[in-house]
Amino acid sequence: MTSDITLATYLFNRIKQLGVEHILGVPGDFNLMLLDYIYEVPPLKWVGFCNELNAAYAADGYGRFKQTPGVLITTYGVGELSALNGISGARAESVPLLHIVGTTGRAIQEEHLLIHHVPPGDGLEEPDHTLYMQTSKPLACAHEFLYDPKKVLDQIDHVITQVAKQSKPGYLYIPVDMVHKKVPSDRLNTPLDLKVVNSGQQDLEDKVVQQVLDAIYQSRDPVIIADTLAERHHAVELVKELVEKTKFLSFNTSMGKGIVDENHPSYVGVYNGKASGKGIAETVEGSDLRIHIGPLFSDSNTGGFTHETKPETSIQLHPLYCSVKGHQYDHLHFYPVLEKIVKQLDVSKIPQNATPKPPRAPIEQEENAGSADGITQTYFTEFMNRFMRPNDSLLVESGTFQFACQDIYMKENSSFVTQIFYSSIGFTFPALVGSCVARREQNHPGRCILVEGDGSAQMTIQELGTMIRYKLNPTIFLLNNDGYSIERAIWGPQQGYNDICPNWKWTQLCESLGGTPGKDCASFKVSTKKQLDDLLISKEFESHSDKLRLVEVVLDAFDYPWRLRAQVQRMGKFNRDKFEAYAKNAGEV
């Protein structure tokens, strides 16, 4: 016999079936009754945040690390709109995220009552309680309002399935009176179908697979480029298997850093167009076949659009299309295609690389304006290469060090998170919370390490208290370069708008936000190269490895990584060329 359960119980059991163990968010009067049901579906647990934007960033970080949807709950209007920037970032960088919004009851909506959080209508029009849904809809891969009890199970399953398959945000809106509605429980016995398939396109799949294999067999010196969408769509192991089978020279992109094992004999470095390290762009662009898996052609992922993609010598495997030497097949997801390529590849037919692997080039020096013993971006990068260990997770904030961290070689089984495309400063501090929570669920070995700028940290620093509250133990390197140095590098290095509130007492923040030094947190400050080096051998520093550690690293305000300087110059030229072409076409020149 079929028993009945509440809609909320059904929803949280579906979420549990994804492997999710923590629900993130902020309580509000229209989601409180929904939150009660979290505690009735073990092992689900609640993680509360200081505001909804930070909770959205954290859900993004959870989704990136766990490769399952991060789940966010807010109240409607004030809560969901605060989270919207975080949702937009997840959409831009293809991160699975389920946003559940508690809304006013159906009767109140039908009567168009002027309830708090809803804006009045224009003129004599009645207020529209669904107004905010229209705001978020363009950012969602699936979007459902749970209004009709007869449809809600299909709606829930549809959104969760699409979020998981498309690796993008999705929305469920739940009126407060629907939380307790009874629904049949037996639907939970039917697993969600989360497998990506190209329905009805078996012949086309096989055709593309054969074209790719033929291109590989006929090539002289092919290369593999691993990009971010390969990771987002669960293809990392397939990429690694392809690298291992072929032994082709292999590269990660800036956003795909860590996909190819950077200690593998075939790994060369990060390909980022003309902003690549010495010898990397020449090797990639001199190849007669580039196999680019999961590409995302944004400015920051292509060295300011200086990457080279000749269609006649390129294979691109993307979630929305597969392209083989200029022939593009739309609406063909790459995962089943790559799966067949790896399985069917005849290693006896693959070419031996004609191009030798370029040697690992030294890190280029910065144009530092500081003292000789001061810590530079280059020196801190070299320190991180010594500090990193196998199984570590490295998170890097949107800022100057995003451009330096490409010179860090990730150790075995390590992972990397940054938001270099959407680049919402302040993102990574809350994302660290989501990543640490996900790691805890998996009993993941290694450390969680954040490199954060002072300007970015001032936006979301309150989640330091959340880390202490939930007994998380990351290591945080707070780069204090006295303001928005990445903006200084772009424009107005001496302008006041690139300054921030000076002289924050960073090493006192853990205690101010609820920590007890020596018990659950420890803070340090380094201003010279020697002080930074001494951390590696410091018994005091290592003795606090089971606690939250915050290290303030003092840098010069005008010390920029070489890649940032190079990209600023190239993007400046790119924009000037575009402006001039537009002005000429518009008759303004």
Side-chain angles (χ1 to χ4, degrees):
M1 294 181 62
T2 298
S3 61
D4 287 342
I5 57 175
T6 65
L7 181 150
T9 302
Y10 180 89
L11 170 62
F12 288 129
N13 272 282
R14 276 304 197 201
I15 290 170
K16 173 184 174 180
Q17 289 175 354
L18 294 173
V20 172
E21 295 182 22
H22 289 83
I23 310 294
L24 319 181
V26 177
D29 49 357
F30 292 100
N31 67 26
L32 295 175
M33 287 185 283
L34 177 65
L35 300 186
D36 283 340
Y37 284 94
I38 294 174
Y39 303 97
E40 297 185 12
V41 184
L44 293 186
K45 304 175 186 68
W46 169 254
V47 181
F49 287 80
C50 300
N51 62 56
E52 291 86 359
L53 173 61
N54 291 352
Y57 287 156
D60 181 309
Y62 180 102
R64 288 173 192 253
F65 184 83
K66 189 82 179 289
Q67 296 291 297
T68 57
V71 181
L72 168 69
I73 298 181
T74 71
T75 196
Y76 87 108
V78 292
E80 65 177 299
L81 293 182
S82 293
L84 200 59
N85 182 50
I87 302 300
S88 181
R91 169 76 179 199
E93 300 210 354
S94 202
V95 179
L97 194 160
L98 175 62
H99 189 177
I100 302 168
V101 180
T103 74
T104 50
R106 292 173 297 169
I108 290 174
Q109 294 189 28
E110 289 174 1
E111 293 182 36
H112 301 284
L113 298 180
L114 196 58
I115 298 293
H116 57 284
H117 301 339
V118 68
D122 289 335
L124 297 177
E125 292 182 8
E126 296 175 318
D128 181 2
H129 289 238
T130 67
L131 177 66
Y132 306 121
M133 301 181 203
Q134 302 165 33
T135 304
S136 56
K137 194 172 183 178
L139 301 176
C141 67
H143 192 275
E144 295 285 356
F145 180 29
L146 305 186
Y147 199 87
D148 184 347
K150 297 178 182 178
K151 299 178 181 179
V152 291
L153 300 192
D154 287 339
Q155 290 176 303
I156 290 171
D157 289 359
H158 169 68
V159 171
I160 292 176
T161 298
Q162 291 308 308
V163 168
K165 284 187 173 183
Q166 295 190 41
S167 191
K168 286 185 171 66
Y171 274 81
L172 287 172
Y173 285 89
I174 305 180
V176 66
D177 64 306
M178 286 293 291
V179 169
H180 310 293
K181 287 292 181 183
K182 296 294 184 178
V183 297
S185 64
D186 58 349
R187 177 76 167 259
L188 290 172
N189 298 326
T190 303
L192 296 176
D193 182 8
L194 304 180
K195 185 177 181 180
V196 173
V197 295
N198 293 308
S199 300
Q201 294 182 290
Q202 181 73 39
D203 291 344
L204 181 58
E205 266 187 18
D206 292 341
K207 175 183 176 180
V208 172
V209 168
Q210 192 56 55
Q211 287 183 352
V212 171
L213 292 175
D214 289 343
I216 290 174
Y217 299 149
Q218 295 165 12
S219 63
R220 183 187 75 257
D221 54 357
V223 299
I224 295 171
I225 305 171
D227 212 336
T228 181
L229 297 184
E231 181 178 33
R232 299 288 186 268
H233 290 265
H234 312 285
V236 170
E237 293 308 314
L238 287 175
V239 173
K240 289 181 176 179
E241 190 174 351
L242 184 65
V243 171
E244 183 60 35
K245 275 190 169 184
T246 63
K247 306 293 191 296
F248 295 161
L249 296 183
S250 299
F251 304 79
N252 293 319
T253 63
S254 299
M255 293 180 67
K257 187 171 175 60
I259 294 177
V260 177
D261 184 351
E262 299 191 2
N263 299 278
H264 193 280
S266 297
Y267 179 73
V268 180
V270 173
Y271 175 57
N272 193 24
K274 302 306 181 189
S276 305
K278 185 177 180 180
I280 290 177
E282 294 84 350
T283 303
V284 171
E285 294 165 9
S287 167
D288 67 341
L289 185 66
R290 292 182 286 281
I291 307 169
H292 197 157
I293 305 172
L296 197 159
F297 297 118
S298 71
D299 56 348
S300 47
N301 204 36
T302 60
F305 303 115
T306 60
H307 67 299
E308 186 178 285
T309 54
K310 296 177 181 176
E312 65 274 15
T313 57
S314 295
I315 293 171
Q316 294 174 11
L317 303 179
H318 188 276
L320 299 177
Y321 63 87
C322 292
S323 176
V324 185
K325 291 190 170 183
H327 300 284
Q328 183 163 309
Y329 305 94
D330 293 337
H331 311 298
L332 191 70
H333 196 289
F334 80 96
Y335 187 93
V337 172
L338 181 60
E339 198 171 32
K340 289 181 178 180
I341 291 169
V342 172
K343 183 178 181 180
Q344 297 178 24
L345 184 69
D346 186 345
V347 295
S348 69
K349 296 181 180 180
I350 62 175
Q352 300 298 315
N353 275 103
T355 302
K357 178 179 175 179
R360 183 180 297 187
I363 303 174
E364 294 196 29
Q365 298 298 309
E366 322 305 356
E367 296 174 357
N368 182 38
S371 62
D373 63 346
I375 302 168
T376 64
Q377 296 269 353
T378 297
Y379 200 84
F380 185 71
T381 302
E382 293 169 340
F383 166 82
M384 289 300 296
N385 270 321
R386 290 177 283 147
F387 182 73
M388 293 290 292
R389 300 173 186 166
N391 300 306
D392 283 345
S393 294
L394 175 63
L395 294 88
V396 176
E397 179 56 77
S398 298
T400 54
F401 197 68
Q402 244 180 2
F403 294 85
C405 69
Q406 295 175 37
D407 289 317
I408 296 175
Y409 273 78
M410 308 295 288
K411 304 299 190 294
E412 295 83 356
N413 301 316
S414 56
S415 57
F416 177 72
V417 170
T418 192
Q419 200 193 52
I420 197 168
F421 170 32
Y422 192 66
S423 289
S424 181
I425 66 171
F427 160 82
T428 317
F429 213 103
L432 175 67
V433 181
S435 297
C436 288
V437 167
R439 286 171 60 92
R440 178 179 286 178
E441 288 182 9
Q442 296 179 320
N443 295 314
H444 199 283
R447 304 165 300 176
C448 220
I449 302 164
L450 169 65
V451 180
E452 176 85 8
D454 56 345
S456 300
Q458 288 194 4
M459 293 192 170
T460 52
I461 192 67
Q462 61 268 56
E463 300 308 337
L464 189 65
T466 304
M467 297 178 200
I468 293 168
R469 175 186 177 189
Y470 290 102
K471 296 179 170 54
L472 305 176
N473 63 339
T475 298
I476 300 169
F477 291 100
L478 192 291
L479 304 186
N480 183 353
N481 50 11
D482 199 24
Y484 299 126
S485 286
I486 189 168
E487 313 293 9
R488 297 188 199 279
I490 296 171
W491 193 264
Q494 303 288 351
Q495 295 286 33
Y497 50 66
N498 285 325
D499 296 334
I500 60 173
C501 182
N503 302 320
W504 271 36
K505 302 299 185 281
W506 294 103
T507 56
Q508 297 177 25
L509 284 177
C510 289
E511 186 174 6
S512 298
L513 293 173
T516 302
K519 181 181 178 182
D520 50 24
C521 62
S523 298
F524 307 83
K525 182 175 181 177
V526 295
S527 303
T528 67
K529 294 173 182 175
K530 184 179 185 307
Q531 290 173 346
L532 183 62
D533 290 341
D534 285 347
L535 277 181
L536 290 174
I537 57 176
S538 169
K539 292 182 179 179
E540 181 187 4
F541 184 68
E542 188 58 30
S543 69
H544 294 296
S545 60
D546 60 337
K547 306 174 183 65
L548 189 157
R549 298 184 293 185
L550 187 149
V551 183
E552 180 183 356
V553 182
V554 178
L555 300 176
D556 188 88
F558 305 100
D559 177 39
Y560 314 129
W562 69 269
R563 276 192 182 86
L564 175 57
R565 298 198 311 270
Q567 179 142 329
V568 168
Q569 291 171 359
R570 291 189 176 96
M571 285 305 297
K573 182 180 184 305
F574 176 84
N575 287 326
R576 285 193 300 273
D577 291 345
K578 290 293 183 183
F579 293 159
E580 289 172 4
Y582 176 83
K584 183 177 180 179
N585 291 335
E588 298 175 2
V589 175

